[in-house]
Amino acid sequence: MEEPEITIKLTRDEATVLSDWLERLQMTDLGNTVDDPAAWAPIHRIAGRLDKMLPALFFPDYGVRLGEARRRLRPLDDDSEN
């Protein structure tokens, strides 16, 4: 019996930040945090899908776009409400 797929919806900002984090996870010592080899299958699948869906990853100003997405996703400080 085939397992049903699960759909996850993300904003473009969320997808951009997640894609960057997954890339760093796969390419650095952060990979040591994945203690179960079975976890790599979904990590690679998610990262691959994000790469296909985010053409901005390959734009020259990607670093700027990533920084802006991170800024928009960070919670506001409590002091900023006053």
Side-chain angles (χ1 to χ4, degrees), residues 1-4 9 17-18 24-25 38-40 42-43 47-48 59 62 73 75 77 82:
M1 183 172 141
E2 188 174 316
E3 289 187 55
K9 293 184 179 187
V17 171
L18 178 60
R24 288 184 290 119
L25 176 70
W40 284 109
I43 289 170
F59 292 178
Y62 170 69
L73 290 175
D77 292 338
N82 296 326

Side-chain angles (χ1 to χ4, degrees), residues 6-59:
I6 296 174
T7 302
I8 298 172
K9 293 184 179 187
L10 300 171
T11 66
R12 185 164 305 279
D13 283 348
E14 291 168 337
T16 299
V17 171
L18 178 60
S19 175
D20 177 71
W21 183 82
L22 288 171
E23 179 69 19
R24 288 184 290 119
L25 176 70
Q26 294 176 82
M27 298 301 181
T28 67
D29 288 340
L30 289 174
N32 293 332
T33 63
V34 179
D35 61 353
D36 182 354
W40 284 109
I43 289 170
H44 288 304
R45 185 170 182 192
I46 292 167
R49 292 287 294 153
L50 290 172
D51 285 353
K52 289 179 183 177
M53 298 176 78
L54 295 169
L57 295 173
F58 307 102
F59 292 178

Side-chain angles (χ1 to χ4, degrees), residues 69-80:
R70 285 179 174 155
R71 181 184 47 77
R72 286 188 293 267
L73 290 175
R74 286 190 180 113
L76 297 174
D77 292 338
D78 292 338
D79 294 335
S80 65

